[in-house]
Amino acid sequence: MKIRDAGEESIDGICSIYNDAVMHTTAIWNEKTTDRVNRLAWLNERQRAGYPVLVAVDGCGNVLGYASFDDWRAWDGYRYTVEHSVYVRAGWRRQGIGETLVMALIERARGLGKHVMVAAIEASNTGSIYFHEKLAFKHVGRMKQVGAKFGSWLDLAFLQLILDERPIPNSVQKL
């Protein structure tokens, strides 16, 4: 397995993983699948913003998982905080792919001078919550019934990882 920046050649794999999560999980709260054009626009938007989209690929170049982050909220005061997402192809989970992707994202976030990484997880997804806790994310909140999918209300759990120990925001040093 290799971790690399995603390009247009990764879009079909990303789209397949995304649509599987839409159809079968509460990891993504969308109810409609998407297409290649949508995911390519998403990739281009992230890259224009200077944010990574990473893929884990096997020896044949097949996308096994992907991860990215974006601004947590749009206002200036949140500029040091990002929210990430990570998805692994069904059948490849629990093999270290997600962990490798998130660790690479953490390093990228630090390199961009980010201070906090947020994980927003459907609260009954104990596997994802445990996964993030293993990576030192701390549970910081829960919002009840803020989403809906598959005929049920969904709670949203928030976990965060403080990425550095800087004492004040303007003391950032890019790596």
Side-chain angles (χ1 to χ4, degrees):
M1 176 187 67
K2 177 181 175 186
I3 304 295
R4 64 171 172 74
D5 287 290
E8 189 171 348
E9 75 287 344
S10 307
I11 292 301
D12 290 335
I14 289 170
C15 195
S16 174
I17 293 167
Y18 180 92
N19 286 335
D20 181 70
V22 167
M23 292 184 297
H24 300 106
T25 78
T26 56
I28 295 174
W29 290 10
N30 291 337
E31 295 177 341
K32 295 177 185 170
T33 58
T34 192
D35 61 17
R36 186 176 209 289
V37 172
N38 173 279
R39 290 294 85 190
L40 186 56
W42 168 82
L43 172 67
N44 290 332
E45 180 182 311
R46 293 283 167 103
Q47 290 174 336
R48 267 193 304 279
Y51 290 152
V53 176
L54 303 177
V55 289
V57 295
D58 66 12
C60 297
N62 298 308
V63 177
L64 305 176
Y66 72 95
S68 185
F69 61 74
D70 197 4
D71 296 323
W72 184 54
R73 299 189 79 187
W75 296 280
D76 293 343
Y78 297 104
R79 68 187 169 275
Y80 298 109
T81 303
V82 292
E83 180 179 349
H84 81 286
S85 56
V86 58
Y87 302 99
V88 176
R89 181 177 298 282
W92 288 90
R93 297 177 187 132
R94 298 186 190 343
Q95 297 184 40
I97 295 168
E99 182 175 344
T100 303
L101 283 164
V102 172
M103 295 304 293
L105 274 187
I106 289 168
E107 289 310 309
R108 293 283 186 99
R110 286 178 174 144
L112 291 171
K114 299 303 178 181
H115 181 62
V116 173
M117 184 174 282
V118 173
I121 304 167
E122 196 279 314
S124 70
N125 187 345
T126 55
S128 184
I129 291 170
Y130 175 74
F131 164 83
H132 283 84
E133 289 172 341
K134 250 179 45 176
L135 295 174
F137 282 75
K138 304 296 182 208
H139 190 92
V140 294
R142 181 179 181 139
M143 297 177 72
K144 296 242 180 221
Q145 298 183 3
V146 294
K149 190 170 181 184
F150 302 137
S152 296
W153 293 117
L154 303 176
D155 294 354
L156 188 62
F158 285 104
L159 289 84
Q160 75 173 43
L161 177 67
I162 297 177
L163 299 168
D164 62 31
E165 299 299 324
R166 78 179 96 147
I168 54 176
N170 63 355
S171 64
V172 65
Q173 293 180 355
K174 289 194 176 187
L175 302 175

